[in-house]
Amino acid sequence: MRPMRIRAHLLDGRIAGTEPYFPLDSILAAEWIRRHHPDQFYEPPPPGVKEGWIEADLPLERRGTGDRWYYACSFNQAEPLTEYVAYWHRRFDDQLERYIDFQGRRGKISEQSGRYKAYRMPLNILILPCLEWYAVGDLEAVRELCQDIAAIGKKVSQGYGIVDRWEIEPWPEDWSEVRDGKLTRAVFELPEGVKGQRRIYGVRPPYWQRENQFEVWMP
């Protein structure tokens, strides 16, 4: 286990997300599950179901005790150059209505609710040339796991967050939690002389799962 810096150079600098954190351990966990448990990756348990979720075995150092543990891996440290809001739309093509079989009953397509509801949804876009993380772990194993990760963030099928290349290299210091007196990830205990803010947030993947969320110190 040794300190390292990981960079994901983006193809055109656009990535979709509401926060700039993009935790690397979550990205690696998704790739690990895709490789080792493809069935569960493509058909995960429904939201709210505790059984069936897989905990990825990542090549990163674990810190903490009991259920209060996390990987020695920072949030993204690259600052966005700018951001803007784009919109994605979904609308039923009324030319296709004649092909719907209402099984002999009178039918009507509603765009106000139900299956064919029309959407205009905002999507926050960040502009930055690369994402950057600091971690402690098995450098070669992390490099091998990253090589098949082609995109990061939301709406990757629409061309956002496409990774052009990965750069993983040894780093002289451990910046997985603190860098230049500032937090680089969520931690349970605030180091002396370091400032942070209290917030309910995830500490390990999947970050959205309630069991992985605690009151922690955030950057």
Side-chain angles (χ1 to χ4, degrees):
M1 297 287 181
R2 54 176 170 168
M4 69 185 84
R5 183 181 72 179
I6 305 99
R7 282 180 169 177
H9 296 270
L10 301 180
L11 185 63
D12 64 5
R14 299 180 305 156
I15 188 168
T18 55
E19 294 182 325
Y21 295 142
F22 299 102
L24 179 64
D25 53 353
S26 183
I27 298 168
L28 296 178
E31 175 60 17
W32 188 94
I33 294 172
R34 187 191 70 82
R35 293 186 183 188
H36 297 277
H37 301 276
D39 293 341
Q40 287 88 339
F41 177 82
Y42 292 106
E43 294 186 17
V49 175
K50 296 182 180 180
E51 295 75 19
W53 287 101
I54 297 171
E55 184 177 293
D57 183 17
L58 300 183
L60 298 172
E61 181 181 298
R62 290 193 182 197
R63 294 177 179 172
T65 58
D67 65 342
R68 296 166 63 87
W69 67 270
Y70 54 91
Y71 288 109
C73 186
S74 76
F75 294 158
N76 167 52
Q77 297 301 295
E79 293 288 340
L81 301 177
T82 187
E83 61 182 297
Y84 65 92
V85 176
Y87 291 87
W88 62 267
H89 303 80
R90 189 185 79 171
R91 183 177 180 182
F92 178 74
D93 187 345
D94 56 11
Q95 298 184 49
L96 303 177
E97 189 170 357
R98 64 180 182 272
Y99 297 110
I100 298 179
D101 182 8
F102 290 107
Q103 299 180 349
R105 296 173 295 181
R106 296 181 62 184
K108 181 181 179 180
I109 298 298
S110 173
E111 294 185 358
Q112 304 302 314
S113 61
R115 180 179 180 182
Y116 299 104
K117 181 179 179 180
Y119 286 97
R120 172 180 166 83
M121 299 296 293
L123 186 66
N124 195 65
I125 308 299
L126 304 175
I127 302 296
L128 67 177
C130 75
L131 301 175
E132 182 176 279
W133 305 271
Y134 296 90
V136 176
D138 184 331
L139 188 147
E140 292 304 323
V142 170
R143 176 180 287 128
E144 197 277 331
L145 198 55
C146 286
Q147 68 180 4
D148 292 330
I149 301 174
I152 300 169
K154 298 181 178 180
K155 293 295 180 181
V156 297
S157 63
Q158 305 304 309
Y160 296 109
I162 305 302
V163 177
D164 180 50
R165 62 185 175 88
W166 287 90
E167 178 186 354
I168 298 97
E169 60 182 343
W171 203 246
E173 298 183 63
D174 176 7
W175 288 351
S176 63
E177 295 182 26
V178 178
R179 174 186 180 184
D180 298 331
K182 298 180 181 179
L183 289 176
T184 58
R185 61 153 296 123
V187 295
F188 290 107
E189 302 293 335
L190 192 65
E192 185 176 355
V194 177
K195 295 182 179 180
Q197 56 182 328
R198 294 293 275 176
R199 182 177 171 187
I200 301 295
Y201 203 79
V203 296
R204 59 180 179 270
Y207 277 74
W208 54 263
Q209 196 168 51
R210 182 60 64 90
E211 289 77 9
N212 294 341
Q213 296 179 352
F214 301 85
E215 185 176 6
V216 292
W217 291 101
M218 293 286 291

